[in-house]
Amino acid sequence: MNGIQNKKCMYDYCCQRIICHKEILSRIIQEYVEEAKKMTIEEISKHIYGIKMSSLEEYIYSKKRDKNNKQDVRCYFNLKECIQINIYLNLDYKEDAHVNKRKKHKVYHLYFITRSLEYDDGTVLMNINSQLNIYKFRIYISNRYRSNNECKQHNEILTLMHIILSYRMGAKYKERLIKKYINNKEIDKELEIMCNLSQAIEIDIKEKTVRKVTREVTRQNNVRAIYNVMKNLNVSFDVAMDIIGFTKNEKIILKEYLKNKEYLLTL
């Protein structure tokens, strides 16, 4: 992974750490777990246990291997029956087959899909396999999510998840928004780390864009210089490059550049 990808991976890992807080998990469970819909956040929090997420090393390894089927956060919600909840963050959804080895209890798979243009923001798709006791939710929400009336019933949880998952927000703005829902010092510390990473990502993206534009301008200028030599001295493309003094590697790059740009020139 390159520098930007590494920072995004670290950002996603910080998202996991925030999601693991009971104050966040309680709100997610209240929204999507049928048995918890009529309970308060405080009541739900008391019944959550066995919260687990991968270590940073495991997480980076799984991302390098593209093992998107592994949950990012897992926990259990215990009322009259034990309910397992798997949460998947920041990914392109891939259809997969989940097996519930312990069919005696329900298993919820909650996919927060932030990198797909397949559905509009706020779309929630549910699939139930009653034989395996599996409940699967696909929740579509982008970095540019805006609350709207069409998905009003889900606005609170979607807005909260958007605040957590989006790396386009400044630190103070994100902190101010999330405090409308949660005021927790531990979460504030995690947010500060996330926001520092998001600022670094934005800087890297801007620098990468500048380098790309500079490279494009340089290659266009080189092509113009070659054409001028060809025209004025009536020589071939290769000879013109030799006259200007391009290295072997530069010649290869320029030829590939011209092919990709579909110039009407025999190389």
Side-chain angles (χ1 to χ4, degrees), residues 1 23 38 50 62 83 86 98 117 119 123 127 130 140 158 163 174-175 180 201 209 211 217 229 233 241 265:
M1 290 189 286
E23 288 192 60
K38 294 181 180 180
S62 69
I83 299 171
N86 297 321
H98 290 291
L117 299 176
Y119 293 97
T123 301
N127 179 268
S130 55
Y140 290 83
L158 289 175
I163 294 166
K174 178 173 283 199
E175 187 177 338
K180 291 181 180 179
I201 290 168
T209 302
R211 287 197 299 270
V217 170
V229 171
L233 300 181
M241 286 197 293
L265 179 67

Side-chain angles (χ1 to χ4, degrees), residues 81 98 100 102-108 126-136:
E81 62 176 336
H98 290 291
N100 183 1
R102 299 173 64 184
K103 296 180 184 178
K104 292 181 180 180
H105 66 242
K106 284 185 179 180
V107 176
Y108 280 81
M126 183 176 69
N127 179 268
I128 299 173
N129 188 324
S130 55
Q131 289 183 332
L132 295 177
N133 225 357
I134 290 175
Y135 294 71
K136 187 188 296 183

Side-chain angles (χ1 to χ4, degrees), residues 16-58:
Q16 281 190 193
R17 290 175 62 88
I18 289 181
I19 297 295
C20 277
H21 285 272
K22 283 189 176 183
E23 288 192 60
I24 307 289
L25 284 174
S26 298
R27 284 166 170 78
I28 294 173
I29 291 171
Q30 186 186 54
E31 181 69 31
Y32 299 107
V33 176
E34 188 64 34
E35 291 80 357
K37 288 188 180 295
K38 294 181 180 180
M39 299 174 66
T40 66
I41 297 299
E42 292 73 21
E43 288 172 339
I44 295 170
S45 181
K46 292 176 183 177
H47 292 277
I48 297 173
Y49 72 99
I51 301 170
K52 185 179 180 181
M53 62 177 281
S54 58
S55 67
L56 179 58
E57 292 77 12
E58 290 171 337

Side-chain angles (χ1 to χ4, degrees), residues 81-94:
E81 62 176 336
C82 176
I83 299 171
Q84 180 181 333
I85 299 158
N86 297 321
I87 298 173
Y88 307 76
L89 304 171
N90 273 9
L91 45 79
D92 301 308
Y93 177 75
K94 293 183 179 180

